[in-house]
Amino acid sequence: MTEPNDDAPTPGPRDRFIPLRKSDILDGLITHFTLDDALARELRQFAHILGAILHQQYFDELDRLRQTYFYFDPEIGRAAHLSADALDAAYRGLSDEFVRVLTEANFVEIKHEEILRAFTEHALVRVKIKAPLTDYRDVRMFRRGHHRETISIPALFGLRRRSLEIEVYDDVVLMVATRPDVAGAEPRRSLLSARGSASKVRGGAVLFKYFRHIPRWDLEALFPNVRVVMGIRQQLTLGVPALVGGVPILLKLASTLTVLFVVAGFYLGLSGTLHDNDTQQALAALSGLFALGAFILRQWGNFHRQSLIHQKQLTDNIYYRNVNNNSGIFNYLIGEAEEQDWKEALLAYCGLVSAPGELTHDALRTRIEDLLLQRFSLSLTFNVDAALAKLRELRLLTETADAVSVIALPDAIAQLERLWGRLLPSSS
């Protein structure tokens, strides 16, 4: 087991995630642009209608996710009425829709190389763990937000502790698809059940898990069927005392086992001679056998005790960080995507409507990033393309060959009201 490389740079570009409350952004924009009471009321009205429209749109998206996930929910029985081709098409639809929602919530996918590196480097989880990747049809991880933490780890076999600075992901979402069962074959063993457990997860199911505050190099521990295995140091810690304690017992037994067989043969009628001290040596051999059995049981118990300690460490550091699973995370992710869309659209609109003229995409990005840094001390990469796409969809954007602008605030409110009216069901 190796430790994470502290000198490694922060992975990838700056985050696009905006970790601010909607009310704080709205109040900050009013203060930053020194809006009077009338303009402040209009901006709040604009923001309220914008939120209502996005909420309705994402409500429909949530329904689509739930409908598609029905075929892959591990808590629901197999969708036997669908053909293999139809299930494959449904899986691709679920995967694409889920990734799109994560992208709109400003999650980014973790590279496969980074996941593989986590198999050898560990931060909080100081044990060796194993996850058989061949059991999965597909594994994808997404993260959002990151920070650095200083943790204390044991050193010199636990005699001392030292500080280590690690990279921590604020939010991590795991998507795991199990391999479909082959027609006519015996169902595959559950990926999630413990050994000997009667619970099963059917083949072809898709599992979603959402975690918070996961060290960058502990990603392997998030896999659903991860198990603790003994590393070389743990094996030596248990094996060397067992060897030192067991060899003398075996040497002592070697000289008496022959006598034990002779005595057993005499009482079974297989041997006709028995010396005076043979019975005493046979009893000594039996005592040695009992001592060896007790020693083996003690070492076996030590092994299982150490395994439980390691499993508890894994549980304490990872699964207490599990927030939600499967269809339960849809509501949260849809809400996050809706909120990020609202923040991006509102910031882009205010950045354009307050500008003295048209702005290029890069100029708008820089304007919003500077605003967030000055007003909220927040350094991030503003997702200007997604923000402009939303304003374009709402028909608030005016575009030329090289620059963009938006319609005035009263006209924008009227346009949003028209869109909201179309979303409402007709009274007739």
Side-chain angles (χ1 to χ4, degrees):
M1 181 191 308
T2 60
E3 292 176 357
N5 181 7
D6 300 331
D7 298 327
T10 299
R14 291 186 303 172
D15 282 324
R16 298 176 301 181
F17 173 53
I18 305 175
L20 299 170
R21 295 190 309 169
K22 295 168 68 173
S23 58
D24 291 338
I25 290 180
L26 190 54
D27 292 341
L29 289 171
I30 293 172
T31 303
H32 184 80
F33 294 113
T34 59
L35 302 183
D36 57 31
D37 291 343
L39 285 176
R41 282 194 299 271
E42 287 185 339
L43 184 60
R44 292 185 185 279
Q45 183 182 2
F46 172 87
H48 179 74
I49 303 175
L50 174 64
I53 292 174
L54 292 178
H55 184 72
Q56 182 63 38
Q57 291 176 345
Y58 275 101
F59 177 81
D60 295 336
E61 193 156 1
L62 174 62
D63 190 57
R64 287 195 300 272
L65 263 178
R66 286 173 171 167
Q67 292 287 338
T68 308
Y69 189 57
F70 173 82
Y71 304 113
F72 307 98
D73 192 336
E75 305 300 327
I76 299 176
R78 186 185 311 275
H81 60 284
L82 287 185
S83 65
D85 291 340
L87 281 175
D88 285 341
Y91 172 73
R92 289 192 298 271
L94 172 66
S95 179
D96 293 344
E97 186 83 3
F98 187 73
V99 171
R100 188 169 66 83
V101 170
L102 285 172
T103 303
E104 291 171 349
N106 283 330
F107 280 81
V108 295
E109 187 162 6
I110 300 175
K111 296 180 180 178
H112 185 65
E113 295 79 10
E114 187 174 336
I115 298 175
L116 292 180
R117 188 175 175 185
F119 278 60
T120 57
E121 297 188 354
H122 302 285
L124 286 177
V125 180
R126 313 300 298 173
V127 295
K128 186 176 181 180
I129 51 184
K130 183 178 180 181
L133 296 179
T134 55
D135 287 345
Y136 306 123
R137 173 185 182 178
D138 194 15
V139 177
R140 302 178 74 175
M141 286 186 178
F142 306 82
R143 58 100 176 168
R144 187 181 70 176
H146 61 87
H147 64 277
R148 298 191 73 85
E149 285 186 7
T150 300
I151 62 173
S152 178
I153 62 172
L156 295 176
F157 299 97
L159 298 177
R160 295 181 56 187
R161 302 189 72 84
R162 66 183 183 88
S163 298
L164 178 67
E165 190 176 21
I166 61 172
E167 191 83 24
V168 178
Y169 292 147
D170 297 335
D171 299 276
V172 174
V173 172
L174 171 67
M175 174 182 173
V176 176
T178 64
R179 293 187 182 278
D181 293 330
V182 179
E186 186 176 345
R188 186 182 299 269
R189 180 179 175 83
S190 168
L191 289 178
L192 300 184
S193 59
R195 294 184 180 181
S197 173
S199 62
K200 298 288 182 181
V201 174
R202 61 182 176 84
V206 178
L207 306 140
F208 297 110
K209 287 183 171 291
Y210 168 54
F211 300 89
R212 276 196 178 142
H213 303 306
I214 299 298
R216 182 182 177 189
W217 301 131
D218 284 344
L219 294 175
E220 183 199 15
L222 305 184
F223 283 67
N225 66 331
V226 67
R227 60 187 180 89
V228 176
V229 295
M230 289 291 181
I232 296 178
R233 188 173 66 180
Q234 288 81 18
Q235 292 175 3
L236 290 176
T237 301
L238 292 176
V240 171
L243 187 62
V244 172
V247 167
I249 297 177
L250 291 174
L251 292 176
K252 184 177 179 181
L253 281 176
S255 61
T256 58
L257 281 177
T258 304
V259 179
L260 181 61
F261 288 128
V262 170
V263 174
F266 174 78
Y267 283 105
L268 293 174
L270 302 176
S271 175
T273 59
L274 185 66
H275 297 91
D276 295 337
N277 62 344
D278 286 345
T279 303
Q280 295 177 353
Q281 292 184 13
L283 291 175
L286 285 174
S287 299
L289 284 175
F290 282 122
L292 179 62
F295 178 80
I296 292 174
L297 288 175
R298 184 168 64 251
Q299 293 304 121
W300 184 257
N302 289 339
F303 174 82
H304 280 281
R305 177 178 175 275
Q306 194 67 29
S307 297
L308 288 174
I309 291 174
H310 291 171
Q311 191 67 45
K312 183 179 184 299
Q313 182 182 354
L314 176 66
T315 301
D316 289 347
N317 286 290
I318 295 299
Y319 279 93
Y320 285 157
R321 301 169 188 266
N322 181 216
V323 178
N324 216 324
N325 302 290
N326 300 330
S327 61
I329 73 173
F330 291 162
N331 285 324
Y332 174 80
L333 291 179
I334 287 291
E336 284 294 297
E338 174 189 327
E339 190 166 297
Q340 291 296 307
D341 253 10
W342 182 92
K343 295 172 184 177
E344 291 167 353
L346 182 65
L347 286 168
Y349 179 83
C350 290
L352 288 171
V353 78
S354 62
E358 293 182 336
L359 296 177
T360 64
H361 288 206
D362 290 338
L364 176 60
R365 178 189 293 109
T366 301
R367 182 177 175 85
I368 300 303
E369 289 174 0
D370 291 343
L371 183 155
L372 292 172
L373 186 61
Q374 294 171 17
R375 176 58 54 182
F376 302 103
S377 300
L378 188 62
S379 177
L380 53 80
T381 298
F382 181 67
N383 193 356
V384 65
D385 293 333
L388 292 178
K390 182 55 64 177
L391 294 180
R392 186 181 301 112
E393 177 188 335
L394 297 173
R395 299 182 180 179
L396 304 176
L397 197 65
T398 302
E399 299 180 86
T400 61
D402 301 320
V404 292
S405 62
V406 289
I407 61 179
L409 188 54
D411 296 333
I413 293 174
Q415 168 64 13
L416 292 183
E417 287 177 340
R418 286 192 293 270
L419 291 176
W420 176 246
R422 295 171 191 167
L423 289 175
L424 297 177
S426 175
S427 58
S428 58

